[in-house]
Amino acid sequence: MDERTVQAGLVMTTMAGVLGTMYWLGKQFGDAPAASALKDNEQVQYQRLTEVGYKILDNKIVDINTEKPFVWKGAKNFDTVSHLVTEEIQSILRTTLEEHFITSGGKKTNFFCSKDWKTKKQMVLLIQASGKERAGVWSRKLLLSHSIDHGSMLAYVDAIKAHGCSVIIANPNLDNKNSQSLEHLVEIYDKYICDSGVESLAILGFGSGGKACVNLLQERLSIMNILKAVAFVHSLHTIDPNTAPEVVDFLKKSSKNWVPSEKPLNHVVHDPMSFASGCRWVSGGHTESTQCLHTAMGEICKFFHRSFSEDF
């Protein structure tokens, strides 16, 4: 396969992903724009979800009076409600995890660590995709249209802790700049992961979080001393001649990319882009990328557990 074929595959795959997201938004909420209506520095005037007429019931966002599911009322309303739900998610995380702060790109950013992050031998680092999603949230759309279990990282945190591992939830999106996302992850690695007692590390990168993960490996090759597995979910990262041989070799042997597919969960997916990504592609058990995080969670946790078990 020549380089032009690979590049063409990347363009087509990226365009398909963008169009798919726009189509999904239209189906769920009407013909709505995918872009956020709130600027990064715009303050949300409401403090609680109930102030905008919604509440959490049975892990779902429902109307406070009728208890019916969330209804699209425009982009700004979507941003406001999803922001407040994110605040609720982070409030829940504060009850079981530690909230820490670092400065990246001149901005103070919060992220979360399990309370045993300094003593556990095994750790999982969670990295979400780019956009308006913040620490603890995989997808704002799924939070509002499906459930907290689908759209947040809470289920992953519970599963990871149940397997006896510590967890760190990164928050690389506060400025939405690739350089500062990398700076954020590097600082977490330098000041937290390296300062912990971890001997075995696994990373889960969703969407552009997969690219951020590969950039971290490139920037800190010493991470290979403890890294045992990387799980990607619909990641469109690529490798090239500038990718360190250690990274290329690791991705080939110890990573998988769970991608949207009509094939049964975990079945091999043959795609030109799998060659460019340098890792195995398998079905995420759903045709929507964000849904794959939910449907493939059990397989991802097993993948990590098996990778850690090989050390003993």
Side-chain angles (χ1 to χ4, degrees):
M1 181 181 301
D2 60 28
E3 184 178 355
R4 285 178 298 178
T5 302
V6 171
Q7 290 176 343
L10 174 61
V11 172
M12 292 178 67
T13 304
T14 304
M15 289 179 64
V18 172
L19 292 173
T21 299
M22 293 174 65
Y23 174 72
W24 187 90
L25 275 169
K27 285 181 66 179
Q28 295 295 87
F29 304 127
D31 295 325
S36 172
L38 293 178
K39 298 178 181 179
D40 285 341
N41 60 355
E42 186 174 354
Q43 297 296 316
V44 177
Q45 61 178 321
Y46 303 103
Q47 301 300 315
R48 295 183 179 278
L49 192 57
T50 53
E51 293 179 37
V52 291
Y54 290 95
K55 65 180 180 180
I56 298 175
L57 178 66
D58 296 331
N59 269 344
K60 296 183 179 181
I61 311 304
V62 300
D63 185 279
I64 198 170
N65 295 314
T66 66
E67 297 186 351
K68 291 183 178 180
F70 175 82
V71 176
W72 176 264
K73 296 179 182 178
K76 193 164 187 175
N77 175 259
F78 172 82
D79 283 342
T80 299
V81 176
S82 61
H83 168 83
L84 294 171
V85 175
T86 297
E87 289 294 312
E88 296 275 0
I89 298 299
Q90 294 198 351
S91 293
I92 294 171
L93 289 175
R94 291 184 187 102
T95 64
T96 57
L97 306 181
E98 294 178 353
E99 184 176 23
H100 293 260
F101 295 87
I102 56 176
T103 300
S104 304
K107 280 194 173 183
K108 190 176 181 181
T109 309
N110 71 323
F111 67 101
F112 295 89
C113 303
S114 54
K115 296 177 181 180
D116 53 8
W117 68 273
K118 281 193 173 184
T119 58
K120 285 289 185 180
K121 301 300 183 184
Q122 300 170 336
M123 175 186 288
V124 178
L125 172 63
L126 304 179
I127 310 173
Q128 78 270 36
S130 61
K132 287 285 185 177
E133 279 70 19
R134 299 292 180 255
V137 173
W138 292 122
S139 167
R140 300 184 304 153
K141 296 186 293 292
L142 288 186
L143 276 178
L144 302 192
S145 66
H146 285 70
S147 72
I148 288 175
D149 283 344
H150 282 74
S152 79
M153 299 182 186
L154 295 178
Y156 271 91
V157 170
D158 289 343
I160 290 166
K161 293 172 68 176
H163 279 83
C165 305
S166 63
V167 60
I168 292 182
I169 300 176
N171 192 18
N173 293 338
L174 198 58
D175 235 358
N176 287 317
K177 295 179 181 178
N178 289 335
S179 61
Q180 291 172 10
S181 295
L182 177 58
E183 182 181 337
H184 174 82
L185 294 174
V186 166
E187 190 156 357
I188 287 178
Y189 174 70
D190 288 346
K191 295 184 178 179
Y192 288 82
I193 297 176
C194 288
D195 193 38
S196 70
V198 64
E199 297 177 357
S200 301
L201 174 69
I203 302 176
L204 170 55
F206 169 54
S208 56
K211 181 178 180 180
C213 170
V214 175
N215 289 341
L216 173 62
L217 305 192
Q218 281 279 90
E219 189 70 17
R220 290 291 187 269
L221 290 176
S222 60
I223 199 172
M224 298 299 177
N225 294 327
I226 58 172
L227 189 62
K228 304 303 177 184
V230 172
F232 299 108
V233 177
H234 198 205
S235 172
L236 295 179
H237 68 276
T238 57
I239 58 173
D240 58 44
N242 294 319
T243 307
E246 301 97 313
V247 175
V248 174
D249 187 57
F250 180 87
L251 293 179
K252 181 180 180 180
K253 295 178 179 178
S254 303
S255 71
K256 284 185 182 181
N257 192 5
W258 278 265
V259 298
S261 173
E262 294 181 353
K263 290 187 175 183
L265 178 64
N266 240 29
H267 279 225
V268 175
V269 174
H270 298 285
D271 188 282
M273 279 307 302
S274 63
F275 173 79
S277 69
C279 66
R280 292 166 288 173
W281 281 26
V282 296
S283 172
H286 204 282
T287 56
E288 293 288 343
S289 61
T290 47
Q291 289 275 22
C292 290
L293 284 160
H294 184 74
T295 54
M297 185 176 72
E299 290 299 321
I300 291 171
C301 289
K302 288 178 185 177
F303 175 60
F304 287 161
H305 184 67
R306 286 193 298 267
S307 300
F308 287 155
S309 298
E310 290 173 0
D311 295 338
F312 302 99

